[in-house]
Amino acid sequence: MKSAVILTGGKQYRVAEGDVIFVEKLEGDAGSSISFDKVLAVVDGDNAAFGKPFVEGATVTANLVKTGKGKKVRVYKMKPKKGYRRTQGHRQPYTKVQIEAINF
């Protein structure tokens, strides 16, 4: 089984063909194809290639399934005895992608 470690959105993801992952928001429409060229490692059975920092010529192609927003996170600030209270909400945007192929 072929798997790879990719870098996108400042985070590393271990992926295999057919996996569905949630990454930081990427530009593109649902159904479009995207290629990740920042591949840190590729493992195919007994063969393994590790980059310094990236593997030369390795790409991971994926299909954009949808974009959306995560669950709301409440941010609450308070200073005791001063009457200062602030509540703020945040929903992190994400992109759902399905890994199609690992090219090495």
Side-chain angles (χ1 to χ4, degrees):
M1 185 168 127
K2 197 182 283 190
S3 64
V5 178
I6 61 172
L7 177 72
T8 180
K11 298 176 183 147
Q12 297 177 9
Y13 299 92
R14 183 170 186 255
V15 297
E17 293 175 350
D19 284 354
V20 176
I21 60 171
F22 294 88
V23 298
E24 295 294 319
K25 186 176 179 187
L26 300 171
E27 296 298 322
D29 297 327
S32 64
S33 181
I34 191 164
S35 178
F36 298 104
D37 56 351
K38 294 183 178 180
V39 180
L40 301 171
V42 177
V43 178
D44 185 14
D46 292 335
N47 301 329
F50 301 97
K52 297 178 187 177
F54 305 117
V55 179
E56 295 278 334
T59 59
V60 175
T61 57
N63 185 18
L64 265 72
V65 178
K66 71 171 191 169
T67 58
K69 290 184 179 180
K71 292 192 175 208
K72 185 175 278 192
V73 177
R74 299 273 182 198
V75 180
Y76 183 71
K77 297 180 181 180
M78 181 188 129
K79 300 218 187 263
K81 299 181 284 237
K82 302 297 178 192
Y84 175 81
R85 289 178 171 83
R86 296 289 179 266
T87 302
Q88 183 179 4
H90 175 74
R91 294 181 68 189
Q92 185 70 23
Y94 68 85
T95 300
K96 183 178 178 182
V97 296
Q98 181 173 12
I99 306 300
E100 297 295 325
I102 298 172
N103 305 316
F104 176 60

